[in-house]
Amino acid sequence: TADLFFAGERQGVMSWLANPGPMGSLEFFSTDTTFAAAVLLREPVSIIEEFGPLELPDDFDAQAELELFNNVMSVLGGEVAFGLDGPALPTPAWKVVIEAYDETLLQESIELSVAQFNEYIATEEELDASIEVSAVSIGGYNGYEIDLSVDAMANSDIEFSGASFVYVYADGYLVAGPDAGIVDRAISFYESGSGLQTDSEFRDLLSRDGYLDFSLVVFSRLGELLNDVLGNLPASLNAEQQAAISALDTEVGPSISSVLALPDRMHFAHNGSS
């Protein structure tokens, strides 16, 4: 553990972390999660206000985009979590959970942003791309699928045809993942109360420092993650690559790193394996 003290209350960038609180976003991650990080920030609007008023060109498009940006920031809360809850390869089973106060306004802003992107990209001759938003129902919640399709990327050696992901609005959170199955399982963990916070290893590591609420917490099972990655590597590795892999320590146990942002100090702690 370590403590960083300030001469007075935290200010500026050091004040962006919010006071410690419960991490409801972690309830969408399972007890088999290999990596998860959650952070509590101050209200995004209050952080932006510290930069003062933005000076933009005096034209309609700039003002409209600023209004759109402000609309999005005004409905987002300060809690964000992301992690890997499933296989790392060949398709990472990632999750992102963001606190969202107003589902309707946020979704309208997302769809307006997509429409503006499609309108802009239609004027570009070197790139033929589009984004499509489709409504889906997942676990009884309002959900959407975002599909980015790319037909041509001129002057580029990178082969990229598109990407997609799915997200739902569930009880004040936006929950996103690469496919509907992962998001649906995330909702089931949340509804059944069987999320990451019920895991015995997680709870044991959590309790060693005497705190149960945090401003930032990172949990990892590095050994399991390495084993998963190594199990999906191609067989055609050269001797040097195989030697480097053999040197990796895959017996690393779980660990938790945390930060408590208190009024005049920050408390850091790390429990478990390094």
Side-chain angles (χ1 to χ4, degrees), residues 153-166:
M153 294 186 70
N155 303 320
S156 175
D157 295 329
I158 301 175
E159 295 184 4
F160 180 73
S161 59
S164 66
F165 66 93
V166 174

Side-chain angles (χ1 to χ4, degrees), residues 205 208 220-223 226 249-257 269-274:
L205 291 169
R208 294 184 190 180
S220 68
R221 292 186 172 99
L222 186 57
L226 283 172
D249 182 6
T250 59
E251 300 301 319
V252 180
S255 65
I256 280 184
S257 300
H270 178 81
N271 297 317
S273 301
S274 298

